[in-house]
Coordinates of all heavy atoms in Angstrom, one line a residue:
M64 N 19.4 -12.7 4.0 CA 19.1 -11.3 4.2 C 20.3 -10.6 4.8 O 20.7 -9.5 4.5 CB 17.9 -11.1 5.1 CG 16.6 -11.3 4.3 SD 16.5 -10.5 2.7 CE 16.6 -8.7 3.1
C79 N 16.5 -3.7 -1.3 CA 15.4 -4.5 -1.9 C 14.9 -3.9 -3.2 O 14.9 -2.7 -3.3 CB 14.2 -4.5 -0.9 SG 12.8 -5.5 -1.5
G80 N 14.5 -4.8 -4.1 CA 14.1 -4.3 -5.4 C 12.8 -3.5 -5.3 O 12.4 -2.7 -6.2
D81 N 12.0 -3.8 -4.3 CA 10.8 -3.1 -4.0 C 11.0 -1.9 -3.1 O 11.4 -2.1 -2.0 CB 9.7 -4.1 -3.4 CG 8.4 -3.4 -3.2 OD1 8.3 -2.1 -3.4 OD2 7.4 -4.1 -2.8
T82 N 10.9 -0.7 -3.6 CA 11.1 0.5 -2.9 C 10.2 0.7 -1.7 O 10.4 1.4 -0.8 CB 11.0 1.7 -3.8 OG1 11.9 1.5 -4.9 CG2 11.4 3.0 -3.1
G83 N 9.0 0.0 -1.8 CA 8.0 0.3 -0.8 C 7.4 1.7 -1.1 O 7.4 2.1 -2.3
H162 N 11.1 4.1 4.1 CA 10.6 3.5 2.9 C 9.8 2.3 3.3 O 10.3 1.2 3.5 CB 11.8 3.1 2.0 CG 12.6 4.3 1.5 ND1 13.7 4.2 0.7 CD2 12.5 5.6 1.8 CE1 14.2 5.4 0.5 NE2 13.5 6.3 1.1
K163 N 8.5 2.5 3.4 CA 7.6 1.5 4.1 C 7.2 0.4 3.1 O 6.5 0.7 2.1 CB 6.4 2.2 4.6 CG 5.3 1.4 5.2 CD 5.7 0.7 6.5 CE 4.6 -0.1 7.1 NZ 4.2 -1.3 6.3
G164 N 7.8 -0.8 3.3 CA 7.3 -1.9 2.5 C 6.3 -2.7 3.3 O 5.7 -2.2 4.3
G165 N 6.0 -3.9 2.8 CA 4.9 -4.7 3.5 C 3.6 -4.1 3.2 O 2.8 -3.9 4.1
L166 N 3.3 -3.8 2.0 CA 2.1 -3.1 1.5 C 0.8 -3.7 2.2 O -0.1 -2.9 2.6 CB 2.0 -3.3 0.0 CG 0.8 -2.7 -0.7 CD1 0.7 -1.2 -0.5 CD2 0.9 -3.0 -2.2
L199 N 1.8 -11.5 3.0 CA 1.4 -10.1 2.9 C 2.5 -9.1 3.3 O 2.3 -7.9 3.1 CB 0.1 -9.9 3.8 CG -1.1 -10.7 3.4 CD1 -2.3 -10.4 4.2 CD2 -1.4 -10.5 1.9
A200 N 3.5 -9.6 4.0 CA 4.6 -8.7 4.3 C 5.8 -9.6 4.6 O 5.7 -10.6 5.2 CB 4.3 -7.9 5.6
C201 N 7.0 -9.2 4.1 CA 8.2 -10.1 4.4 C 8.6 -10.0 5.9 O 8.8 -8.9 6.4 CB 9.3 -9.7 3.5 SG 9.0 -9.8 1.7
M258 N 9.6 -14.9 6.3 CA 8.7 -15.1 5.1 C 7.6 -16.0 5.3 O 7.0 -16.5 4.3 CB 9.6 -15.5 3.9 CG 10.8 -14.7 3.7 SD 10.4 -13.0 3.2 CE 9.9 -13.2 1.5
C289 N 8.6 -4.2 7.3 CA 9.0 -5.5 6.8 C 10.5 -5.7 7.0 O 11.3 -4.9 7.6 CB 8.7 -5.5 5.3 SG 9.6 -4.3 4.4
L290 N 11.0 -6.8 6.4 CA 12.4 -7.2 6.4 C 13.3 -6.1 5.9 O 14.5 -6.1 6.2 CB 12.5 -8.5 5.5 CG 13.7 -9.4 5.5 CD1 14.1 -9.7 6.9 CD2 13.3 -10.7 4.7
S291 N 12.8 -5.2 5.1 CA 13.6 -4.0 4.7 C 13.1 -2.9 5.5 O 12.3 -2.1 5.0 CB 13.6 -3.8 3.2 OG 14.1 -4.8 2.5
R293 N 13.5 0.2 6.5 CA 14.3 1.3 6.0 C 13.9 2.7 6.6 O 12.8 3.2 6.3 CB 14.2 1.4 4.5 CG 14.8 0.2 3.8 CD 14.3 0.0 2.4 NE 12.9 -0.3 2.3 CZ 12.3 -0.8 1.2 NH1 13.0 -1.0 0.1 NH2 11.0 -1.0 1.2
Ligands
SF4_402 S1 7.7 -6.4 2.0 FE1 9.7 -5.3 2.3 S2 11.4 -6.8 2.0 FE2 9.4 -7.6 1.1 S3 9.5 -7.0 -1.1 FE3 8.4 -5.4 0.0 S4 9.9 -3.9 0.5 FE4 11.0 -5.7 0.0

Side-chain angles (χ1 to χ4, degrees):
M64 282 313 295
C79 182
D81 182 351
T82 307
H162 297 181
K163 173 73 177 66
L166 178 62
L199 300 183
C201 299
M258 306 296 283
C289 68
L290 195 44
S291 296
R293 296 161 291 198

